[in-house]
Amino acid sequence: MNKPIVYVESVSKSFGEQVIFRNLSFSIKQGETLAVIGHSGCGKSTLLRVIGGFEKADSGEVSVNGKIVHQPARTSIMIFQDFTQLFPWRTAISNIVWSMLAVKIVDSKSKATRIAEQYLSDMEFLPSNYNKFPIQLSGGMKQRVSVARALALKPKLLLMDEPFGALDNLTRQKMQIVTSDVCKKHNITTILVTHSVSEAIRMADNILVFCRDGKIEIIKNDKYADAKIEKLLNIRH
Amino acid sequence: MRVSPKNKFSPKTIFGKPSTKALLWVLLLLIIWELAAQLDFVPVYILPPFSKVITTLWYEIFNGNLPVMVGRSLFVLIEALAVSLGISIVVIWLCRKSKTFNSFYSAVSAMMNSIPSMALLPLIIMWLGIGDIAIIALVTHSVLWTFTIYINEGINAIPKIYREFAENINLSTFKQLKDVYLPAILPNIVSGLKIVWGRGWRSLIGAEIVFGAIGAAGGLGYFINISRLNGNMSRVLAGIVIIAIIGIIVDYGIFRRISVRMKKWGMKNE
Ligand SMILES: Nc1ncnc2c1ncn2[C@@H]1O[C@H](COP(=O)(O)OP(=O)(O)OP(=O)(O)O)[C@@H](O)[C@H]1O
Ligand SMILES: [Mg+2]
């Protein structure tokens, strides 16, 4: 049985008066996927940013791979909820190749290029677009390059903020499968923010739900999960 | 598929319609100038015909006179730009390090930026004499403040997400500067340089004329001034024409090329 690699221990975060979460605790086992689901504006991105070290928690502690998180680190790579995370002065493939060389995960440019091409083609990214600049790509294409870049960096923990949001169903499913496969193969732990219940169910081992009433619940992805999520998302007082 | 009529011309805009039009207007002016002089509407010692100016220009280029003067001016200008760049880097680094220095420098640069370099000329002559150092100081003054303001604005406008990704992959400070910050502010560097180069060039020529009048020798401004003293109007005009030509070469040859490349990235450069 795998041991937990991510510990979130009584973490609280507010923006001024607005409480996003309070005393939140959970852990994720190595290689597992936690989906995070909830209504727009409930705090999914904030949770991800706290775990990634991009945002300071008001109290509590996050640790990843045995280290307490104080600032962003290479062990947890984030795919931001933003189409502009690629450098506009680099082409699609050069964004990936440059990152791989920058973190010294490979030693030669040709090797990095080969790996990058592999990931891009897995994501159904056409070779004719490899050398296009981000401005020339669609939102979904940019997101796929971002996912390929993150996977190529081989993190321990992959933080994904609605990475497949801009994709049609077919591409989306293909991407889910590719991402899952790569993560399984390299034992990458994943936190996936999504607003799609079906995506959460397809990809996750456990699902963290920001409930309508402000509570946060973590449920196992079993055959009742679907109904439970729907209920938790719609509780009103 | 491609129906947009705009697209059809866009890669060639530089040599396409708009500048063809500009060229025609310039041509018209030159013809009027030539005719006015040839038909004796104005005396030759006030306005020699354009053809005479061109002949003089040609002559001065091939006897090596003008190239030496232009070379000297450009060299001093590049020296001054290099000095400004060096100071800018230090100043901007200090601004990022210390809030106190930043507010101090903002106040100083806003104040200094509004003083034309010619207004500082007497002061600089008294402090530094009339040598190259004085000219470099003068041109640096006309360049530095605006330039640092541009760069600072550029740094402030770098999207947070670039910085965050750089932090995420634990990029070293040097690599962050080289591979993220520098390309991200390139549009600002270019538009800053574009403005600053014009300003520097102007104050340089101005300073050379003044310095030439009080004994220093060399540079395009000096060339123009000495020609005036000799009453050689076509040499004066040849000097002015060469200033315009250099301006156009730098603008089209350097800055527009870089702008085109940055457009390809979708990065703004006004
Ligand atoms: N830097 C900030 N300062 C103040 N408030 C913030 C900040 N970032 C987020 N918030 C607020 O925190 C709440 C949660 O934001 P967050 O981005 O985490 O939502 P989300 O669940 O990711 O929403 P979405 O599904 O729309 O992406 C929002 O109400 C937002 O206004
Ligand atoms: Mg979000």
Side-chain angles (χ1 to χ4, degrees):
Chain A
M1 199 66 220
N2 277 336
K3 284 224 278 265
I5 189 173
V6 180
Y7 288 96
V8 173
E9 283 171 57
S10 32
V11 169
S12 305
K13 180 74 191 170
S14 319
F15 289 113
E17 298 282 279
Q18 189 189 3
V19 177
I20 308 295
F21 36 81
R22 184 176 287 155
N23 278 331
L24 181 61
S25 298
F26 62 88
S27 63
I28 310 171
K29 292 192 180 115
Q30 181 158 28
E32 288 197 346
T33 298
L34 176 76
V36 176
I37 202 162
H39 296 277
S40 177
C42 65
K44 305 183 292 293
S45 297
T46 306
L47 176 62
L48 216 58
R49 291 176 61 79
V50 168
I51 295 174
F54 296 96
E55 202 91 55
K56 284 230 168 352
D58 302 333
S59 63
E61 222 168 64
V62 177
S63 74
V64 175
N65 201 29
K67 284 210 186 82
I68 294 174
V69 175
H70 294 293
Q71 66 251 335
R74 201 182 293 169
T75 34
S76 331
I77 294 287
M78 171 84 115
I79 299 168
F80 297 89
Q81 185 186 17
D82 198 318
F83 294 161
T84 61
Q85 57 195 305
L86 301 171
F87 293 135
W89 54 86
R90 291 189 177 278
T91 61
I93 192 148
S94 145
N95 260 289
I96 303 176
V97 169
W98 173 82
S99 320
M100 291 173 79
L101 292 172
V103 306
K104 301 196 179 74
I105 203 169
V106 286
D107 45 22
S108 81
K109 196 171 171 179
S110 57
K111 217 165 163 186
T113 308
R114 237 179 304 124
I115 297 172
E117 280 173 356
Q118 186 57 51
Y119 279 119
L120 284 175
S121 80
D122 284 351
M123 314 228 140
E124 315 239 289
F125 194 88
L126 296 177
S128 56
N129 293 328
Y130 286 178
N131 290 311
K132 285 194 178 160
F133 288 94
I135 181 104
Q136 300 167 293
L137 303 174
S138 73
M141 282 152 100
K142 280 185 264 196
Q143 284 299 66
R144 278 182 282 161
V145 178
S146 308
V147 174
R149 179 174 72 176
L151 291 175
L153 293 175
K154 300 267 160 52
K156 289 264 185 242
L157 174 65
L158 183 60
L159 303 167
M160 298 196 278
D161 203 341
E162 298 197 25
F164 313 131
L167 301 173
D168 62 281
N169 263 333
L170 221 63
T171 319
R172 192 181 177 113
Q173 283 180 23
K174 170 89 187 173
M175 291 272 296
Q176 291 165 350
I177 292 167
V178 171
T179 312
S180 291
D181 285 352
V182 174
C183 290
K184 286 251 155 57
K185 192 165 142 209
H186 298 284
N187 210 11
I188 298 173
T189 313
T190 317
I191 304 181
L192 169 73
V193 169
T194 174
H195 59 252
S196 149
V197 179
S198 61
E199 181 164 287
I201 287 180
R202 209 170 303 132
M203 303 218 22
D205 299 289
N206 295 294
I207 299 158
L208 184 150
V209 187
F210 278 83
C211 310
R212 199 38 139 188
D213 62 358
K215 286 210 188 74
I216 291 174
E217 299 231 7
I218 297 183
I219 60 171
K220 268 197 90 60
N221 187 7
D222 53 22
K223 59 180 172 184
Y224 309 110
D226 200 342
K228 266 196 252 172
I229 296 169
E230 290 295 351
K231 209 173 125 215
L232 289 171
L233 284 176
N234 290 310
I235 290 175
R236 278 168 213 273
H237 286 288
Chain B
M1 283 301 282
R2 277 181 206 121
V3 276
S4 159
K6 247 186 175 170
N7 258 351
K8 221 168 144 189
F9 292 105
S10 70
K12 291 186 191 142
T13 308
I14 298 172
F15 301 111
K17 272 190 166 169
S19 38
T20 318
K21 230 182 224 165
L23 218 62
L24 286 175
W25 285 118
V26 173
L27 217 60
L28 184 69
L29 280 175
L30 293 179
I31 290 170
I32 293 174
W33 172 0
E34 182 71 21
L35 285 178
Q38 292 284 2
L39 300 176
D40 276 339
F41 286 144
V42 277
V44 176
Y45 59 88
I46 290 185
L47 189 70
F50 180 65
S51 53
K52 176 112 191 295
V53 172
I54 292 298
T55 331
T56 312
L57 186 65
W58 215 242
Y59 176 73
E60 294 293 339
I61 286 175
F62 281 99
N63 72 10
N65 221 345
L66 212 43
V68 169
M69 295 298 177
V70 168
R72 202 191 120 88
S73 289
L74 285 178
F75 183 68
V76 173
L77 182 62
I78 287 168
E79 273 181 325
L81 286 178
V83 168
S84 308
L85 197 68
I87 298 177
S88 303
I89 291 172
V90 175
V91 159
I92 286 162
W93 182 73
L94 284 172
C95 282
R96 300 279 130 190
K97 280 266 158 189
S98 148
K99 282 226 166 74
T100 321
F101 184 83
N102 190 21
S103 75
F104 163 75
Y105 186 77
S106 302
V108 171
S109 58
M111 188 180 73
M112 295 302 280
N113 201 25
S114 61
I115 305 176
S117 51
M118 286 303 132
L120 288 183
L121 197 70
L123 194 71
I124 283 180
I125 290 175
M126 278 158 78
W127 281 351
L128 301 171
I130 54 172
D132 275 3
I133 306 269
I135 294 196
I136 290 173
L138 207 72
V139 176
T140 301
H141 164 80
S142 66
V143 161
L144 179 68
W145 316 108
T146 312
F147 194 60
T148 48
I149 290 170
Y150 263 86
I151 303 295
N152 246 335
E153 270 173 12
I155 293 177
N156 290 335
I158 294 177
K160 190 170 110 194
I161 199 158
Y162 300 165
R163 211 181 47 231
E164 286 187 332
F165 181 70
E167 282 170 12
N168 199 171
I169 59 174
N170 298 138
L171 219 54
S172 67
T173 312
F174 175 71
K175 273 203 168 156
Q176 280 190 29
L177 288 178
K178 177 169 88 62
D179 288 345
V180 180
Y181 280 54
L182 191 64
I185 61 167
L186 210 54
N188 293 69
I189 295 182
V190 173
S191 46
L193 274 180
K194 198 166 156 183
I195 288 186
V196 140
W197 125 264
R199 283 177 153 222
W201 185 232
R202 270 169 240 190
S203 54
L204 173 71
I205 302 291
E208 282 174 351
I209 290 180
V210 175
F211 284 19
I214 55 178
L220 201 45
Y222 167 79
F223 175 86
I224 293 171
N225 195 50
I226 206 77
S227 307
R228 173 191 67 86
L229 285 175
N230 297 335
N232 190 338
M233 205 38 135
S234 40
R235 265 180 46 151
V236 170
L237 286 166
I240 293 172
V241 167
I242 205 86
I243 290 177
I245 291 175
I246 290 172
I248 290 171
I249 289 176
V250 171
D251 195 32
Y252 281 83
I254 302 176
F255 291 117
R256 301 233 172 175
R257 268 160 206 264
I258 303 177
S259 290
V260 167
R261 156 153 296 199
M262 278 185 310
K263 274 215 188 88
K264 207 162 90 185
W265 300 344
M267 293 172 84
K268 278 200 301 290
N269 164 237
E270 61 284 349

